[in-house]
Amino acid sequence: MTDARIAQRGKGALRVFNEAGVLGAADVHVAVRLAQLAGETSEAAVLATALAVRAVRSGSVCLDVGGMRDIGVDAVAADDGTEVDLDALPWPDPADLLAALRVSPLVVGGEAGPLRPLRLVDTVGGPLLYLEKYHRQEDTVRRVLDSRAGDRPDVDAAELRAGLADLFPEHAPDRQRVAVAVAATHRTAVIAGGPGTGKTHTVARVLAMLLRLQGPTLRIGLAAPTGKAAARLQESVHQHRDRLALPESLSASTLHRLLGWGHRGPRYHAGNHLPHDVIVVDETSMVSLTMMCRLLEALRPQARLILVGDPNQLASVDAGAVLADLVDRPVTAAAHPVLPAVVGADLDADGWDDGERDRVRGGIVRLTRGWRFDEEIGALADAVRDDQPDRVLDLLNSGSDRIEFLAPDDLDALRRDVLDTAAEVTAAAEAGDVAAALELAERHRLLCAHRDGPFGVAWWERASLEWIGTATGHRLDPDAWTAGRPLLVTANDYDAKIYNGDTGVVVRGGNGEEGGGDLVAAFGRGGDPLLLHPSRISSVQSVYAMTIHRSQGSQYGTVSVILPDERSSLLTRELLYTAITRAKDRVRIIGTEDAVRAGVRRRVRRASGLRLG
């Protein structure tokens, strides 16, 4: 039987890299077809094309030609524990490859026509090879951000100082205060920080300040990459509405909804700008290069854009790590003249290094003080982020009530949490208590790095169903509409207003307009859940286990994390940090010490030219 993972059209080096798992069949097919259209015959140039396609599939915007050996192997290879000896593969010499690319019709065009699907760019960090689409998007993001950085909004220093005094009456040097001042004095501002550092608390005060400076007619847009993250943003802002006199009409949406994305593309774009005066985007680490490009194109030049998120989390599943790139990008703009006069004393206080002061000048503030986490969970997350494997293991083995570290075969605590959560959610769902069912569903979440294999979601989904079936005495059908079934939306549905990544619960009846005594799907939307009849939902699955990627933008009381084998290329510092920071009360790591050390040491490498300036 033919292996579908092997492209039969691939020959020579393409075939070798495909069989090793470094290239997928799709990478090979695209490269071969483009070479045929352009009239390219160089094996090295065709291999580079396939690697560039593979780089985008793995999350990079481009291929770092000098570091092309760092490209990861497919998750399939990692799932079965196969080790790929990358050094044994027939890598082309970088100098020879560059020489071939500089004259390749794929880059410069040729007799076959004007088709030039690749762009080779020389940077201070070395040559980068782009698919043309992604080069244009990155260039657009860079151009728009640079243009906005050179346009300083008019701000009255006395009014800004008075507003800060009202918003922060018990003044001490505080990064949230600086963040509000930065957002008021820049067209584009970045508020970065880990979970629980007060990002949305700060956003509410930013909005209050802008309303004070610009008046009550200020048009505000709140958005996030997923419906769940948007609901959390809206709920967080609404908690401060009365105290800060924020408009009752404030609501958050997905970025897709903000841009009016439909079957024919976005309603708002470079030729039809968004009507807002200020737009806040939460969970920006999840925003891809393509989405950021579309958003920046749709912005009015005078509108303020406030990007909020944690650059240490996993980046978008699509190409790009825009938030991390912006935080690391060199600052070239001069400081707004009002800023030093208002918060200069804050910046001179202890706790700010020179690099952070430079980033403030460029509109970037990093919040560092944790407010939400138990101190031990915060310390564990910090140790992972700061590449301290010994410290991580000390905390995991400390015996804390907040942190558990269990062997791969020690599953009693996990089984107990799965069963207790399922029983409580089902009871609330059968009673039609929508709010309780949604809240209880977030008491515990089982997180995995992989989708398949013994460390993957599918495996642990089956295990959870078997545990529940054994405990209740009847087998659960994962596809049946039964009260208490946890749901995960897997595709955007603009008509139903549910989006990829939304989570919910099947409940009986409820207080909404739909359903009566029938089963309905309930999705959290702040204080007003969305209720839908099953017939209106086309792409949904059970979610007794979830990938760590999918969990971004959410918080759970307890998280149980299944670590893969230490050889897995998916086991990275960003993945481990993201998993830990999903927990509010307790984090449970199930794996080996070798896996923990590998996860802390291994970093995600996403090639990009944006962070180079």
Side-chain angles (χ1 to χ4, degrees), residues 100-384:
L101 287 172
R102 294 192 191 282
V103 298
S104 171
L106 289 163
V107 175
V108 301
E111 297 180 359
L115 175 71
R116 292 189 296 175
L118 301 183
R119 180 73 68 100
L120 183 63
V121 179
D122 291 309
T123 73
V124 294
L128 303 176
L129 183 65
Y130 291 82
L131 299 180
E132 179 65 22
K133 167 186 173 181
Y134 293 97
H135 179 266
R136 291 183 180 179
Q137 290 177 355
E138 187 179 275
D139 189 60
T140 295
V141 170
R142 181 186 296 106
R143 173 175 48 79
V144 173
L145 288 175
D146 289 347
S147 174
R148 293 173 60 82
D151 180 22
R152 298 171 177 172
D154 293 329
V155 179
D156 183 276
E159 185 68 18
L160 178 58
R161 188 179 291 109
L164 290 173
D166 289 343
L167 292 169
F168 301 91
E170 298 178 0
H171 173 58
D174 187 271
R175 290 174 182 246
Q176 293 187 13
R177 184 175 184 272
V178 173
V180 172
V182 164
T185 54
H186 289 76
R187 293 291 181 203
T188 305
V190 176
I191 301 175
T197 52
K199 296 189 295 295
T200 50
H201 178 93
T202 305
V203 164
R205 280 149 183 77
V206 168
L207 297 178
M209 175 62 77
L210 295 179
L211 285 163
R212 176 175 181 142
L213 295 175
Q214 296 188 236
T217 59
L218 187 74
R219 295 167 295 182
I220 300 171
L222 305 177
T226 67
K228 186 66 172 292
R232 293 183 67 87
L233 172 61
Q234 178 175 314
E235 185 176 6
S236 297
V237 171
H238 279 197
Q239 289 175 355
H240 304 278
R241 185 175 58 194
D242 294 338
R243 180 175 181 274
L244 299 176
L246 298 178
E248 293 186 7
S249 59
L250 277 180
S251 62
S253 68
T254 64
L255 281 169
H256 281 85
R257 286 185 65 192
L258 179 77
L259 293 172
W261 216 299
H263 302 296
R264 296 184 179 180
R267 174 186 177 188
Y268 296 105
H269 44 72
N272 182 33
H273 288 151
L274 286 159
H276 304 87
D277 300 308
V278 56
I279 292 175
V280 177
V281 180
D282 197 13
E283 297 291 349
T284 308
S285 65
M286 300 165 62
V287 178
S288 68
L289 174 69
T290 299
M291 181 59 77
M292 184 60 70
C293 177
R294 297 288 182 259
L295 174 63
L296 291 174
E297 286 179 324
L299 279 179
R300 295 168 55 245
Q302 295 77 27
R304 282 180 171 86
L305 175 64
I306 301 163
L307 303 175
V308 185
D310 185 351
N312 296 300
Q313 286 187 19
L314 286 166
S316 164
V317 294
D318 296 318
V322 179
L323 182 63
D325 286 347
L326 295 185
V327 171
D328 290 341
R329 197 168 182 243
V331 176
T332 57
H336 193 292
V338 168
L339 192 62
V342 175
V343 295
D346 296 84
L347 296 176
D348 290 336
D350 292 338
W352 297 85
D353 60 36
D354 292 339
E356 288 180 321
R357 293 188 181 94
D358 283 343
R359 283 193 283 273
V360 168
R361 178 164 49 87
I364 301 167
V365 179
R366 184 172 65 91
L367 306 180
T368 57
R369 182 179 178 183
W371 299 87
R372 179 190 305 160
F373 285 135
D374 173 85
E375 182 178 347
E376 293 161 299
I377 296 177
L380 179 63
D382 290 346
V384 171

Side-chain angles (χ1 to χ4, degrees), residues 331-587:
V331 176
T332 57
H336 193 292
V338 168
L339 192 62
V342 175
V343 295
D346 296 84
L347 296 176
D348 290 336
D350 292 338
W352 297 85
D353 60 36
D354 292 339
E356 288 180 321
R357 293 188 181 94
D358 283 343
R359 283 193 283 273
V360 168
R361 178 164 49 87
I364 301 167
V365 179
R366 184 172 65 91
L367 306 180
T368 57
R369 182 179 178 183
W371 299 87
R372 179 190 305 160
F373 285 135
D374 173 85
E375 182 178 347
E376 293 161 299
I377 296 177
L380 179 63
D382 290 346
V384 171
R385 182 196 63 201
D386 297 337
D387 187 14
Q388 299 176 335
D390 290 338
R391 171 68 172 155
V392 170
L393 286 169
D394 286 344
L395 289 167
L396 288 175
N397 291 311
S398 65
S400 165
D401 292 338
R402 302 284 187 173
I403 300 172
E404 291 183 81
F405 184 37
L406 304 176
D409 58 352
D410 188 354
L411 303 177
D412 290 345
L414 171 61
R415 184 186 296 108
R416 183 171 58 252
D417 273 344
V418 168
L419 294 176
D420 289 348
T421 300
E424 291 173 357
V425 171
T426 300
E430 285 285 8
D433 192 339
V434 175
L438 288 170
E439 179 185 354
L440 289 166
E442 297 191 354
R443 292 268 182 95
H444 174 259
R445 182 67 80 202
L446 173 55
L447 301 179
C448 305
H450 293 273
R451 288 189 296 271
D452 302 303
F455 307 109
V457 167
W459 181 288
W460 290 96
E461 186 94 3
R462 289 192 298 271
S464 298
L465 289 169
E466 289 175 3
W467 292 340
I468 297 169
T470 300
T472 60
H474 59 85
R475 177 182 174 275
L476 288 183
D477 183 345
D479 299 319
W481 285 86
T482 55
R485 176 190 174 193
L487 300 174
L488 173 69
V489 177
T490 57
N492 294 325
D493 187 331
Y494 303 100
D495 294 330
K497 297 182 180 180
I498 54 176
Y499 305 93
N500 189 7
D502 280 355
T503 56
V505 178
V506 178
V507 299
R508 189 169 299 284
N511 299 320
E513 296 179 357
E514 297 196 31
D518 296 335
L519 293 174
V520 296
F523 297 93
R525 292 291 186 269
D528 188 18
L530 174 66
L531 301 179
L532 295 171
H533 191 274
S535 63
R536 296 188 58 188
I537 303 175
S538 57
S539 300
V540 70
Q541 65 186 40
S542 296
V543 62
Y544 291 97
M546 175 186 284
T547 63
I548 296 169
H549 250 114
R550 289 273 196 185
S551 73
Q552 290 192 95
S554 299
Q555 291 282 307
Y556 307 100
T558 297
V559 296
S560 298
V561 186
I562 304 296
L563 292 187
D565 185 278
E566 65 271 15
R567 294 169 294 181
S568 169
S569 62
L570 294 184
L571 181 57
T572 63
R573 185 182 310 168
E574 292 81 359
L575 180 118
L576 192 53
Y577 173 87
T578 300
I580 291 168
T581 54
R582 298 312 90 203
K584 291 187 289 186
D585 303 316
R586 180 184 293 109
V587 61

